[in-house]
Amino acid sequence: MSDLRPGQSIFTRGAVDLSSLANRPAAPATPAPTSADSGESAPSGGTFPGAPAGGGNAVDVTEANVQTEVLERSMATPVVVAFLAPGYPEVQQLADALEQFNAADGGMWVLARVDVQANPRLAAMFRVQSVPTVYAVVGGQPVDAFAGPVPPAQLRQWLDAVLRAGGVEVAVPEDPRLAEADDALMMGDLDEAERAYRKILSDAPRDAAAEAGLAQVVLAKRVVGVDPQAAVAAADADPDDLPAQLRAADVQVLGGEAEQAYQRLVNLVRRVYGDDRETVRQHLVSLFAVAGPDDPAVAAARRSLASALF
């Protein structure tokens, strides 16, 4: 197997066109490759357990039924196409996780399993270069994909994004670890809060709440022992003192004056150059992370920053 990074986008290698699958005549089953065919021995192993070849929430897909079980069903329900091969522990782990989530979701999406050893032409049509590879198909078109094993928490997030792309309303369960991290932050235990947020992000790197929480911890650690009023007064008295401006912006964000803090640093970006400008830009971006990308004030400040830079 080739070795792609988990979560790597398949679509960087070019668009996948599934139109050639529509109205295809049923193809005879292709025998699985042998060691004589490939020049190396494939590991032995069982097949993937699950539902029969069609009709359920989990189906086994071949060239003969790919049109009905993937293309046609995706018009009404998101279809997750998993390209698998028996005998590899990491492949079996992902297959098991997909089946568990599929059963728990109760028909919100279809799991379509493809044995690449028995269906090499299907794998080629989807440009599969390693197993496991997983595609999401919505409305007859692939909308996302990843290659390689992923942690269950990250897989759950990916599936939820697929469901939303298919128009399915997804309830976001509260992560008890996030509540514990937030409690540690509120109690002032910054080291424990940082450890908790980083643990969440190690399992789910795109967790926006954990990213914002960690950014707030980093910010809080920067201003430990700083007098907010004195910091702002010092910065106002010397507009060209870069450390003073950064410190004042920090305490303003923590004091609920984020828009004033953003404007302070945008104005500073307009006045400085070279390494100083990059330092201010990075500091401002770190403050954006505290609020998150959906905050209207952040969106406005990003536009002002872009104007100041270019």
Side-chain angles (χ1 to χ4, degrees):
M1 293 184 294
S2 61
D3 188 15
L4 294 177
R5 290 178 287 111
Q8 181 180 3
S9 174
I10 304 301
F11 301 112
T12 58
R13 300 200 295 269
V16 175
D17 183 6
L18 301 188
S19 61
S20 62
L21 297 178
N23 300 317
R24 290 176 59 89
T30 303
T34 65
S35 58
D37 296 327
S38 62
E40 60 182 59
S41 59
S44 60
T47 58
F48 296 98
N57 296 330
V59 298
D60 296 318
V61 170
T62 66
E63 285 187 63
N65 66 355
V66 63
Q67 179 180 345
T68 56
E69 297 295 352
V70 175
L71 295 188
E72 294 179 9
R73 293 188 73 172
S74 74
M75 296 299 179
T77 307
V79 177
V80 173
V81 187
F83 290 88
L84 311 166
Y88 296 97
E90 67 273 22
V91 176
Q92 188 63 58
Q93 289 171 4
L94 181 65
D96 291 344
L98 284 168
E99 289 176 2
Q100 291 169 8
F101 284 133
N102 180 254
D105 286 346
M108 288 193 293
W109 55 278
V110 175
L111 172 59
R113 298 169 300 223
V114 179
D115 184 339
V116 298
Q117 294 176 346
N119 299 277
R121 289 199 293 182
L122 268 185
M125 290 175 190
F126 278 82
R127 303 190 180 189
V128 173
Q129 295 187 3
S130 68
V131 290
T133 290
V134 180
Y135 272 90
V137 181
V138 175
Q141 295 296 326
V143 295
D144 201 4
F146 67 86
V150 298
Q154 187 175 341
L155 178 59
R156 179 68 266 176
Q157 284 191 328
W158 185 83
L159 290 170
D160 287 346
V162 169
L163 289 172
R164 286 191 288 270
V168 180
E169 185 174 346
V170 178
V172 180
E174 183 175 347
D175 189 338
R177 299 176 305 167
L178 186 60
E180 292 174 3
D182 291 344
D183 288 344
L185 177 59
M186 294 298 294
M187 295 297 294
D189 191 344
L190 299 182
D191 290 338
E192 174 59 23
E194 180 175 3
R195 183 203 65 76
Y197 287 128
R198 290 193 185 279
K199 178 61 173 67
I200 295 171
L201 290 170
S202 70
D203 296 333
R206 298 179 182 178
D207 190 301
E211 287 179 342
L214 180 59
Q216 189 167 350
V217 169
V218 173
L219 171 60
K221 285 188 171 184
R222 286 204 301 256
V223 299
V224 170
V226 174
D227 183 315
Q229 291 184 337
V232 172
D236 290 344
D238 189 353
D240 294 324
D241 184 338
L242 189 147
Q245 297 302 318
L246 301 184
R247 192 177 306 114
D250 284 348
V251 299
Q252 283 181 307
V253 168
L254 284 179
E257 298 179 343
E259 292 184 55
Q260 294 91 321
Y262 301 157
Q263 191 59 53
R264 177 187 293 276
L265 296 190
V266 168
N267 292 339
L268 188 57
V269 165
R270 298 182 191 276
R271 301 197 305 272
V272 298
Y273 300 93
D275 292 342
D276 285 349
R277 172 176 278 198
E278 179 61 15
T279 296
V280 178
R281 186 195 69 81
Q282 291 183 4
H283 198 94
L284 181 53
V285 170
S286 76
L287 295 181
F288 291 161
V290 174
D294 296 331
D295 188 289
V298 169
R302 284 191 183 277
R303 291 192 294 270
S304 297
L305 176 60
S307 175
L309 289 171
F310 305 108

